[in-house]
Amino acid sequence: MAISVSGMAMRAYLGGVEPVLFRLRKEQRLRIWGLRPADLPEAALRLQTEGCSGGHLCHRMVSAHRDYLAKYTRRGPDGVARLWQGTPCLLDLTPFADAEAYEKEIRKHSFGYILRETRKAAKAGYRCRIFDRFAQGDDMRDIEASKLFRSGGPVPQAFAQRFGRGSGVKGDPWLDAPCPEHWALDWGVFIDDGGRDRLVGTIVLRRVGNIIRIVSFLGHADHLSSGAMKLLFVEIARWLLRREDPRVRGVRFVLYGALEQGGLGLLHWKRRLLVRPFVFADPAPAGLSLAGETRRA
């Protein structure tokens, strides 16, 4: 029952409350960047390209993400961004030749703060890697229940976990997807806990063509001030920019929610990590297609 109620509440929020927040916050948030809606750079997405295996899971993933991305801003026929849609925040990887170039830029934009925090976390023993969520289920539930309110507001799943009505770890049909362009991965940050590797923060990633979406970004409340989550984000950026793993070749963008979501602290956190506001290029946006078909949303 708790799951269905929280699911209904989330659907009501996404369908009714969130568009209003997008509209109310958009211009003020853009002013922090010195931008107007018409000034936003465009990001052309390709949800399926020639590197895709073209299987059933790929088609399902493209369809699901086409629907999901419809809530984000596209420039309309008049050239104006839509005010009731979220402004996508993207890390564009193309300006960086390698991980060192990215680190140089974040050092400049954060006056060295981000990298000092990541070094502090690494020195304290935090380590990052891809992990199996089903092997870390207890830790994942602890993370979820550790904070009832986060930057986006109350967390229904956390209330359910805290008061003994939470569910088990949920699967994801794309965790074992064979296609290098359509997959899901769990990245985590770990600390030694009495000889056991304890998971204290997670980022769930889904790749769809040339974009990776951050589906979930959660740290345990006791470890949020340690720099561990900054270390986790930077380690993922390093992994992407090394381009050694076949699963990341061809990735251009990382989507980290909307400009209007969360508090100003989250907004400045994204800015220091070079996550910037964009609009998706039209049509629908450009490249949101299956096997060459372009569909307007």
Side-chain angles (χ1 to χ4, degrees), residues 41-45 73-76 88 278-288:
E42 291 187 342
L45 304 187
T73 303
R74 300 186 302 277
R75 209 180 297 285
F278 281 76
V279 291
F280 290 138
D282 221 26
L288 287 187

Side-chain angles (χ1 to χ4, degrees), residues 20-182:
V20 175
L21 290 179
F22 289 163
R23 175 65 183 90
L24 293 175
R25 292 175 174 176
K26 187 179 299 291
E27 292 180 4
Q28 183 244 358
R29 297 276 173 105
L30 285 172
R31 279 198 296 272
I32 294 174
W33 258 271
L35 295 171
R36 299 169 302 164
D39 299 329
L40 288 165
E42 291 187 342
L45 304 187
R46 300 290 303 177
L47 297 192
Q48 188 168 22
T49 63
E50 56 278 356
C52 171
S53 63
H56 175 65
L57 275 177
C58 300
H59 285 256
R60 283 179 56 199
M61 198 170 194
V62 170
S63 178
H65 281 73
R66 181 194 282 125
D67 293 341
Y68 169 79
L69 291 167
K71 78 173 184 176
Y72 288 97
T73 303
R74 300 186 302 277
R75 209 180 297 285
D78 54 1
V80 178
R82 298 300 180 225
L83 297 178
W84 297 89
Q85 293 174 305
T87 306
C89 282
L90 303 174
L91 172 60
D92 184 357
L93 300 174
T94 50
F96 310 113
D98 50 31
E100 289 72 23
Y102 174 69
E103 291 176 38
K104 181 178 179 181
E105 282 300 304
I106 60 173
R107 182 181 293 111
K108 181 169 68 176
H109 281 79
S110 68
F111 303 100
Y113 162 72
I114 293 292
L115 293 182
R116 284 196 300 274
E117 288 285 290
T118 62
R119 286 194 295 270
K120 180 182 77 171
K123 187 175 180 180
Y126 291 97
R127 300 172 303 281
C128 305
R129 58 178 170 85
I130 295 168
F131 73 97
D132 176 2
R133 68 173 65 176
F134 298 105
Q136 305 288 158
D138 290 343
D139 287 344
M140 291 184 71
R141 285 186 285 270
D142 286 345
I143 292 168
E144 196 169 64
S146 69
K147 199 168 175 63
L148 298 177
F149 296 87
R150 295 187 183 263
S151 60
V155 184
Q157 298 92 334
F159 279 90
Q161 295 282 6
R162 183 75 65 90
F163 299 109
R165 302 185 68 183
S167 61
V169 175
K170 295 181 180 179
D172 187 318
W174 294 289
L175 279 174
D176 299 315
C179 179
E181 288 201 354
H182 300 97

